Amino acid sequence: MRSTSKLTIGNVVSRDSGGSLVEQIVRSVACRIDDKLLRTGSRMPSIRQFADEQKVSRFTVVEAYDRLVANGYLESRRGSGFFVRERASLINAPSSHTQEIPSSQQPDVVWLVRNMLRQLPQQKMPGSGLLPHEWLDGELVANGLRAVSRLNQSLLLHYGTQQGFLPFRQQLQLKLAELEIAAAPEQIVTTNGVTQALDLVAREFTRPGDTIFVDDPAWFLMFGTFATLGTKVIGIPRLHDGPDVAKLAELAALHKPKLYIIHSVLHNPTSTSLSAAKAFQVLKTAEQHDFMIVEDDIYCDMHPGSAVQAATRLSSLDQLNRVIYLGGFSKTLAANLRVGFIATSRETAIRLSDRKMLSSLTTNEISERVVHKILSEGHYRKHVDRIRSKLDSARDEVTARVEKIGMKVEYRTPAGMFLWVDTGTDTIELTERAFEKGFLLAPGSLFSPHQLPSTHMRLNVAAMSDSSVWDFLIRELN
């Protein structure tokens, strides 16, 4: 017999989030049903109760419930209310082209990325890699879009150029010069974010069976990307000032890698940065064993400068001979602005541009024009200053609270959006329990190419404002 107990939904709307209140309710309730957090047959709160709990109008709830009924998530029973509908028959229907991985599956890279893209309330995702919407400047992006929309329409209707919008690449030349990296526009190739940039570089420089080095821990998404290319991924232990260079040299002699992917500045997930001494040693090892270095600098604009945290970019030392530099704007402007770039030698830029053309023709010139508008008008610098200030305040507060409840912060850094913490317990199990409560954590095992159980996890200091997240951690770890 079906359960008819009333549900407590929790907060599902935010006036600062994107989308209307109706859309937020529909999206949040649907996600909870898909993830089995709302059980089949359970009675939903009445329209009046839901409206009171979420502080919205009853008309908003009526429209949201009607949409959920229309999409098969709820059923309406005359005189009884709304109930969570059985979804199995819909999910397993023969016409379905995709099948959801059961929510009980052990978290892996695909699981984490899928749930990060579910657009749950950001305050419920301390394991995410994005800043809260209210920290960003939607008006800055909107102004850029409006300015581009006023251009001659014929400029917006063509493919664009394979290497990228030239004025944008010229603007990037100025930006890189501030980092002491000399790169002419001909040395820059625009991409759909750093993810595509990594894929293009890996496809250009490796073949099945080749070895790619990454930091350990490191950004998890590239593990799966490289595996699809048939390459072997090996982790280099990351220390407080960069990689373990002795281990790097030892493994380079043994495996003869083609590439080494490294975060020199604000490493994900530890927020550490590369020291000058380590930078010279890494370059020396790369030259000795003849491998290329790919420097992912996606968090570049969150770094306050070497006066606050010592940091050396390999590209500034090497000047794009053996080092390929990657950058982008999704972390500081908008995740939906998939605008990234590669800076490299002229010869490599031509090859990567051709490879990009064969895989995707061109990148989105409209988005590149928007970012160019934002950068060229000078508003971007003040915007990232505000982000850094907010991160500084949040980092101090979160660090103190984390240590108070018994977790250990591995590296106390003065910059960046992440803390790499040791919980003292298996974070896969902790993540599963958190998911049952509607929170998304990022277990440490996902950040290692070995994917072994870990007591570590990554916390986004900008996404730790929800008291219920802290209540859960205190309850589970004490």
Side-chain angles (χ1 to χ4, degrees), residues 253-270:
L254 182 62
H255 296 283
K256 303 299 180 185
K258 297 291 183 162
L259 296 173
Y260 176 24
I261 318 296
I262 185 172
H263 275 120
S264 297
V265 176
L266 296 182
H267 168 254
N268 179 6
T270 67

Side-chain angles (χ1 to χ4, degrees), residues 174-183 313 315-319:
L174 299 176
K175 179 178 175 61
L176 291 172
E178 293 180 355
L179 304 177
E180 299 183 339
I181 301 170
R313 288 178 173 84
S315 299
S316 66
L317 298 179
D318 174 77
Q319 292 300 309

Side-chain angles (χ1 to χ4, degrees), residues 9 49 61 84 111 173 179 191 198 220 223 337 400 436:
I9 302 299
Q49 179 189 350
V61 181
V84 178
W111 177 92
Q173 178 184 18
L179 304 177
T191 61
L198 272 172
F220 48 80
F223 303 156
L337 274 178
E436 292 174 357

Side-chain angles (χ1 to χ4, degrees), residues 226-294:
F226 297 156
T228 63
L229 302 180
T231 60
K232 182 180 180 181
V233 180
I234 293 178
I236 307 299
R238 179 81 180 203
L239 306 177
H240 72 281
D241 58 350
D244 182 333
V245 290
K247 198 68 176 178
L248 173 63
E250 175 190 334
L251 292 174
L254 182 62
H255 296 283
K256 303 299 180 185
K258 297 291 183 162
L259 296 173
Y260 176 24
I261 318 296
I262 185 172
H263 275 120
S264 297
V265 176
L266 296 182
H267 168 254
N268 179 6
T270 67
S271 291
T272 58
S273 291
L274 188 65
S275 69
K278 285 286 180 74
F280 281 110
Q281 290 172 297
V282 169
L283 285 173
K284 181 178 178 181
T285 303
E287 182 178 4
Q288 181 180 353
H289 296 282
D290 194 26
F291 59 84
M292 298 291 291
I293 297 172
V294 182

Side-chain angles (χ1 to χ4, degrees), residues 163 182-189 205 292 318-325 342-352:
Q163 200 158 343
E186 295 75 25
Q187 294 177 256
I188 299 172
V189 180
F205 285 93
M292 298 291 291
D318 174 77
Q319 292 300 309
L320 305 178
N321 292 310
R322 188 174 291 276
V323 179
I324 299 171
Y325 181 92
I342 303 168
T344 183
S345 67
R346 281 179 168 80
E347 296 77 10
T348 301
I350 292 172
R351 299 203 308 272
L352 291 174

Side-chain angles (χ1 to χ4, degrees), residues 20 22-23 26 61-73:
S20 68
V22 170
E23 290 169 343
V26 171
V61 181
V62 168
E63 184 176 348
Y65 275 14
D66 284 344
R67 289 193 192 182
L68 288 162
V69 170
N71 286 280
Y73 284 95

